[in-house]
Amino acid sequence: MNCEACDLKELELENFQIREVLRCILHTIVFHRALGLVRPKDIDLELFEITYVQCGDAEVERKINEKIDQFISWVEKHPNKKSQICLSFYEVKNKQASWFTNKIERRSWEYWYINLNVAQHPKAHSSKSHHSKAVVDPGESASEDRSLRRAALEASLREVLFQIIKFVNEKKDHIPSIPSAEGVSFPYEITIPSSSDSAFGMDMFKRMLQSGHPTMLS
Amino acid sequence: MDLQSHPQPELGRLEQIVSQFLLKSLHIVLDSRIPSLRPARDRSGNVSGISRVRKSDKWFSLQLGDRPAALDNLHFWHRNLMDPMIIDIILVREGSNSSSSMDNVYSTAAVGTSVETVIERWVVQYESPRLMATPTGESSATYKKIYKKLIILLRSLYSTIRLLPGYRVFRLLSSLTQSYDFDIIYKVSSFTEPFSRAEEEVMKHYSFLPVEALSGRLCISVTYHQTLSDFNLEPLTAFPPTIITDYVGSPAADPLKAFPSSEKGIRATSFPLRGRGVRSPSSAPFQRPHSWTSGGHRAAPFTPNQPLSGSPPAFRMPYMPYDLPTQPLDIYGHGYQLSPPFSPSQSPSPPTYFSSSNPMYSRFSSETAPVTIPLPLVGRGSRYLSPNSSDPSRHSLPPLSPRSTRHDPSSQESPSGNRSFRKTEGLRIGEYSGTTNNYSGQKVLKDSKDDSGRFSGLLSSSGSPRIGFSRCSSRLSFQDDLDDCDFSGPFDVDDVDTTDSHASQNLDGKRASEFPSLAFPMTGKSPDAAVGVLVNMLRRAPPLRQDPSCCSSHSLKTEPEGEAGAASEFFMARKTADALEELRSYKEMKDLLLSKSGAHVVTREET
């Protein structure tokens, strides 16, 4: 069984946009992978004119919100850094117990990499302004920049959503049989950057060793 | 007759999957585009809690709620699963007034009625190179795999349809707080005309990856407008239509929002409602809640045409937003017919028109003026006459002349041409009032009676209250207009207005004495004494024009000469014809009263 990976387009956003953007992307992916009986739930973004769909599973929503909170905490400690969140779907295989291992093997069959570039744009009169020149009226230019960034982010987010839809349509053969008839049928895991970048890389390396398959970028 | 309700065992599993796939696709598309087909939703727009899921709703693991009845009528898809299912989402907009260039490009129907534009075309099809035969020997795993892929495909469809521009239009129409002059309809067919080249240039195509299904494949594709901003899909109103309870002339109407200030030069006409309040001059003319005036508010240059419309009541609800001074004009540029009464005026002098063109304004503004008119004639006595003048007596008519004369200067602030305008429009206003209700007219009558029985007399003496209102309302301020009034019976006022007991009492007990009472101030007595005598005379006044020998009142006997003299002077300002006419009407009134309760009248007089 193949393992597919989808590297989504990088999004440039600000701190206050992280929650909505991540909720939109994660829920959209899960909705397309929750192949059990679901009652779709339309959610309108507050920051953008985008409506995405949730599978309506309360546990999924709780888990996603929890991971997003952890990620936001991490971003606050590591500002102005590019980061990546990984959503992976796996199946559990009971490995035959041996003398040394009694683990339940996880085999991930799909990886989703959400690339974010969280930039903390300074407000007006800030000395850390990216636009270092002394602006006579920085308020207006800052607001214009923000609106432009917002529009760009909305367009990019739409692209990401279409990217997800295109991927789920094109890649279907690697999906294992539906184990559960209700809700989220496949177990999944959301991995956020850890306290250090190196640790984050190590986490990903460990995942790859566990799954036994190298990550293949689509 | 769909498969779910009437399963046909002979159909293969594949056929069943395909047919259900078609239905599910149609359900998703229509549920996301046609507000009227949506089942009950909660506030977030999601399917409300369903305790028991129908078996048909479990197909493809996507629970959408009850299928619209319209879908059941489309069961013909089951007849031939090979035919494509083409779902056209059509935007319907108002008529040919649209200036959108899109209308000229791909309007399928237009001109005068509505413009229909296909904004999306979904094509769901089971493509099979050969006639589909009932597959045999296929394992269950194959069907499961196909079914799984179709689940994913429908999930993709569900997500994608919410990212397209048409979903925004759907949400606009689903909004309960706004209304629009466009609508979305759908058309399902197996064959349709292809888009023109011009249409294709502005549309985008998106195809989902087909799902291989044994001998064929299931495909979904969509052609849609990339942007709908060219269609000018603006809300008509930010507020839901409401019923206006304080319609024109309603006593419940807030006077402060009804009438403009007299500073606008409207005081000329003595519309009785004036006393209810005066608006500030700065905002006066445009803030009346009534349809035809609020329309004038919105279109100040258009006010001259207000009286031309007889249909404001029909537009009462649409007019409601006009009450808000902040509403931009262009919002109502299409769809609403509020504007006809307020269409651009051809008048060469809109400002002056405004002061006079709206008879209601002019009438309202000078309500209290008539009260002071009698002063030039009878001094203080005239003031005393004011309540008396509520009596629809001919004696109240003379003061009209100086009253109207007095107001003429203010009305003359407008060009004289306005007077003719008022003349011509007075009748129209009456027609308007007549077509709607007599409330305003009645109110006019009521209030007029408070201030001047002359006016009520004028109104009541018209052939019909409605017409009388139309004629007199515009003529109240103008003597020349008064001359043309036909007053058939002053008692019509009482008939119309039964709430003014004061006026009715005056009618019974004082009308006969008005004539002599008017003459009283001419005798030269002190004002106070004159008032006292006048009161006595009024109390003992015999019936109007009654034979003096039948009356116990001494005033009539003792003052025939003075009465005549006073009458001659009193009527100087009036035309003889009017006086005679009024005399005639009063005589009729007297006869009527006498016939009913002649003894009671005498008794009242004696007391």
Side-chain angles (χ1 to χ4, degrees):
Chain A
M1 192 74 69
N2 295 332
C3 176
E4 301 289 347
C6 180
D7 205 9
L8 298 175
K9 177 185 175 182
E10 183 178 274
L11 300 174
E12 294 186 2
L13 68 167
E14 298 182 41
N15 282 26
F16 71 97
Q17 299 167 326
I18 293 175
R19 184 175 300 277
E20 279 225 315
V21 169
L22 281 182
R23 282 169 57 88
C24 176
I25 295 175
L26 290 172
H27 277 289
T28 299
I29 296 172
V30 172
F31 174 69
H32 287 89
R33 289 292 178 254
L35 303 184
L37 180 64
V38 298
R39 183 181 302 168
K41 187 177 177 183
D42 299 344
I43 303 296
D44 299 327
L45 291 181
E46 295 179 0
L47 300 178
F48 313 103
E49 289 188 359
I50 294 176
T51 299
Y52 70 96
V53 187
Q54 295 182 0
C55 64
D57 191 310
E59 180 60 25
V60 169
E61 189 168 2
R62 185 198 65 79
K63 192 172 181 180
I64 289 177
N65 290 336
E66 179 184 331
K67 285 296 180 179
I68 291 175
D69 292 337
Q70 295 176 7
F71 178 75
I72 292 175
S73 301
W74 181 88
V75 169
E76 291 174 353
K77 296 176 183 177
H78 305 84
N80 298 324
K81 275 190 176 182
K82 294 186 178 183
S83 56
Q84 191 179 65
I85 296 174
C86 179
L87 171 60
S88 59
F89 294 92
Y90 60 91
E91 57 180 346
V92 177
K93 285 186 174 181
N94 292 327
K95 193 172 183 181
Q96 186 176 4
S98 65
W99 286 95
F100 304 100
T101 59
N102 195 18
K103 284 186 178 180
I104 296 177
E105 181 182 348
R106 283 183 178 184
R107 192 192 72 82
S108 297
W109 49 268
E110 191 171 85
Y111 292 96
W112 295 85
Y113 299 107
I114 304 169
N115 301 294
L116 302 178
N117 183 8
V118 184
Q120 187 65 32
H121 293 276
K123 296 180 180 179
H125 307 293
S126 173
S127 60
K128 297 182 181 178
S129 173
H130 180 67
H131 306 281
S132 56
K133 60 178 180 180
V135 185
V136 177
D137 191 2
E140 291 186 359
S141 61
S143 63
E144 289 178 2
D145 289 342
R146 173 163 286 190
S147 63
L148 288 174
R149 289 195 299 271
R150 193 208 66 82
L153 177 59
E154 182 174 341
S156 298
L157 183 57
R158 285 183 178 272
E159 289 184 31
V160 167
L161 295 179
F162 275 108
Q163 188 179 1
I164 295 171
I165 294 171
K166 181 172 181 290
F167 181 87
V168 298
N169 271 270
E170 293 177 349
K171 310 289 184 180
K172 298 192 187 78
D173 295 331
H174 65 289
I175 300 175
S177 303
I178 301 175
S180 173
E182 294 288 337
V184 181
S185 50
F186 304 111
Y188 64 97
E189 186 177 19
I190 301 174
T191 306
I192 62 172
S194 58
S195 56
S196 64
D197 292 343
S198 58
F200 174 73
M202 284 302 296
D203 289 339
M204 290 304 301
F205 185 69
K206 288 179 183 177
R207 299 293 178 195
M208 291 168 59
L209 288 177
Q210 284 178 352
S211 64
H213 296 275
T215 301
M216 295 187 301
L217 297 178
S218 62
Chain B
M1 188 110 28
D2 65 353
L3 292 174
Q4 212 58 29
S5 58
H6 301 273
Q8 302 179 24
E10 61 273 16
L11 285 182
R13 296 174 68 179
L14 183 61
E15 289 84 349
Q16 189 178 19
I17 291 174
V18 172
S19 62
Q20 287 298 323
F21 177 81
L22 294 173
L23 281 173
K24 201 74 170 184
S25 304
L26 182 62
H27 191 178
I28 291 173
V29 172
L30 297 184
D31 192 60
S32 307
R33 289 293 184 268
I34 312 300
S36 59
L37 296 181
R38 287 199 106 188
R41 301 270 166 164
D42 56 15
R43 288 185 175 182
S44 59
N46 299 297
V47 179
S48 56
I50 302 176
S51 58
R52 180 176 169 274
V53 181
R54 290 193 175 185
K55 192 175 180 182
S56 61
D57 204 18
K58 292 184 178 181
W59 274 91
F60 305 102
S61 302
L62 195 60
Q63 189 178 337
L64 301 177
D66 291 338
R67 193 183 301 167
L71 267 64
D72 294 333
N73 299 329
L74 300 172
H75 64 277
F76 62 87
W77 297 114
H78 296 289
R79 299 176 193 165
N80 188 357
L81 297 177
M82 308 297 292
D83 291 337
M85 182 175 69
I86 301 175
I87 310 168
D88 281 344
I89 305 300
I90 303 169
L91 177 67
V92 181
R93 288 167 300 131
E94 287 298 321
S96 56
N97 293 331
S98 175
S99 60
S100 171
S101 60
M102 295 297 178
D103 296 337
N104 300 325
V105 176
Y106 28 70
S107 301
T108 56
V111 190
T113 55
S114 60
V115 178
E116 296 183 352
T117 307
V118 178
I119 60 174
E120 284 183 359
R121 174 169 289 170
W122 298 85
V123 178
V124 185
Q125 186 177 10
Y126 178 71
E127 297 177 350
S128 179
R130 60 180 183 273
L131 289 177
M132 186 168 60
T134 304
T136 57
E138 299 294 339
S139 64
S140 175
T142 305
Y143 289 108
K144 285 185 178 178
K145 195 172 182 180
I146 295 171
Y147 189 75
K148 179 182 66 179
K149 293 181 179 179
L150 292 177
I151 290 176
I152 298 174
L153 176 58
L154 289 174
R155 300 288 172 92
S156 304
L157 171 64
Y158 194 93
S159 296
T160 304
I161 201 170
R162 277 150 179 76
L163 297 176
L164 298 182
Y167 186 70
R168 183 71 180 163
V169 180
F170 163 76
R171 293 297 298 269
L172 290 176
L173 287 175
S174 299
S175 172
L176 298 177
T177 58
Q178 294 184 348
S179 60
Y180 299 88
D181 66 340
F182 60 90
D183 198 6
I184 289 184
I185 61 176
Y186 68 95
K187 184 180 73 171
V188 183
S189 60
S190 59
F191 174 79
T192 185
E193 295 181 359
F195 289 119
S196 63
R197 181 161 296 185
E199 292 174 325
E200 289 179 350
E201 289 178 357
V202 296
M203 302 186 85
K204 197 174 181 180
H205 186 79
Y206 182 83
S207 293
F208 295 88
L209 192 71
V211 172
E212 299 294 333
L214 302 177
S215 57
R217 61 177 192 173
L218 285 158
C219 309
I220 299 179
S221 64
V222 60
T223 306
Y224 62 97
H225 271 276
Q226 298 186 57
T227 176
L228 300 179
S229 58
D230 294 333
F231 291 99
N232 300 324
L233 303 178
E234 295 288 343
L236 284 175
T237 173
F239 303 90
T242 58
I243 297 176
I244 301 174
T245 55
D246 56 343
Y247 191 45
V248 177
S250 166
D254 182 359
L256 294 180
K257 62 179 179 178
F259 313 113
S261 161
S262 58
E263 284 78 355
K264 291 291 183 179
I266 309 173
R267 67 183 69 173
T269 55
S270 53
F271 198 76
L273 294 180
R274 174 68 167 80
R276 296 177 62 85
V278 180
R279 291 188 55 78
S280 60
S282 59
S283 61
F286 302 106
Q287 297 189 6
R288 283 193 64 180
H290 314 296
S291 57
W292 33 276
T293 56
S294 55
H297 148 58
R298 291 187 60 258
F302 308 153
T303 52
N305 284 345
Q306 290 181 15
L308 300 178
S309 170
S311 56
F315 304 119
R316 197 64 189 116
M317 287 172 62
Y319 283 176
M320 190 56 183
Y322 290 167
D323 300 337
L324 307 174
T326 59
Q327 293 291 342
L329 180 61
D330 60 351
I331 287 182
Y332 312 99
H334 46 268
Y336 267 162
Q337 286 304 313
L338 177 58
S339 48
F342 315 100
S343 56
S345 166
Q346 303 303 322
S347 167
S349 55
T352 59
Y353 260 148
F354 179 77
S355 64
S356 60
S357 65
N358 190 336
M360 295 305 290
Y361 280 138
S362 57
R363 282 194 295 272
F364 293 164
S365 62
S366 56
E367 177 186 37
T368 57
V371 179
T372 60
I373 287 180
L375 281 174
L377 283 177
V378 295
R380 185 171 300 190
S382 61
R383 294 182 182 178
Y384 186 77
L385 281 176
S386 300
N388 212 17
S389 59
S390 62
D391 175 7
S393 166
R394 64 190 180 284
H395 305 294
S396 63
L397 285 175
L400 176 62
S401 304
R403 199 179 311 178
S404 59
T405 304
R406 174 179 170 178
H407 288 281
D408 278 343
S410 58
S411 65
Q412 287 172 353
E413 292 174 3
S414 305
S416 60
N418 294 332
R419 185 168 298 190
S420 59
F421 171 81
R422 277 190 286 267
K423 273 189 177 181
T424 58
E425 297 303 337
L427 185 58
R428 294 176 183 177
I429 291 296
E431 291 172 352
Y432 156 68
S433 305
T435 55
T436 58
N437 55 35
N438 294 331
Y439 220 129
S440 56
Q442 294 180 9
K443 187 174 191 313
V444 169
L445 296 174
K446 176 179 183 301
D447 294 331
S448 68
K449 288 177 72 67
D450 293 334
D451 299 320
S452 169
R454 171 179 62 83
F455 295 101
S456 57
L458 291 173
L459 295 169
S460 62
S461 59
S462 61
S464 67
R466 196 171 59 203
I467 298 178
F469 171 75
S470 68
R471 293 183 181 182
C472 301
S473 58
S474 62
R475 294 164 180 162
L476 288 175
S477 59
F478 307 107
Q479 182 181 4
D480 50 353
D481 295 334
L482 263 179
D483 296 339
D484 299 332
C485 279
D486 272 343
F487 306 116
S488 60
F491 270 76
D492 291 344
V493 172
D494 291 334
D495 296 334
V496 171
D497 183 2
T498 58
T499 59
D500 195 338
S501 58
H502 173 70
S504 59
Q505 288 174 0
N506 290 339
L507 263 175
D508 294 337
K510 300 177 182 177
R511 63 181 185 276
S513 63
E514 275 193 346
F515 191 75
S517 63
L518 289 173
F520 177 75
M522 310 293 288
T523 58
K525 294 186 180 179
S526 65
D528 292 337
V531 169
V533 174
L534 185 62
V535 170
N536 292 331
M537 291 170 58
L538 290 172
R539 286 178 178 175
R540 293 178 294 171
L544 193 65
R545 286 294 179 253
Q546 183 129 6
D547 187 356
S549 61
C550 299
C551 292
S552 58
S553 170
H554 303 287
S555 59
L556 288 177
K557 293 179 180 177
T558 56
E559 302 179 17
E561 299 176 0
E563 176 182 344
S568 61
E569 295 184 15
F570 194 67
F571 284 104
M572 277 175 61
R574 300 183 54 212
K575 293 185 178 179
T576 308
D578 295 333
L580 290 176
E581 191 174 356
E582 277 211 337
L583 283 172
R584 203 177 305 114
S585 62
Y586 289 140
K587 189 175 181 180
E588 293 175 1
M589 289 162 47
K590 179 208 72 176
D591 295 338
L592 179 64
L593 283 178
L594 287 177
S595 64
K596 288 186 176 180
S597 55
H600 293 168
V601 171
V602 174
T603 304
R604 277 200 300 273
E605 289 171 354
E606 289 177 350
T607 57

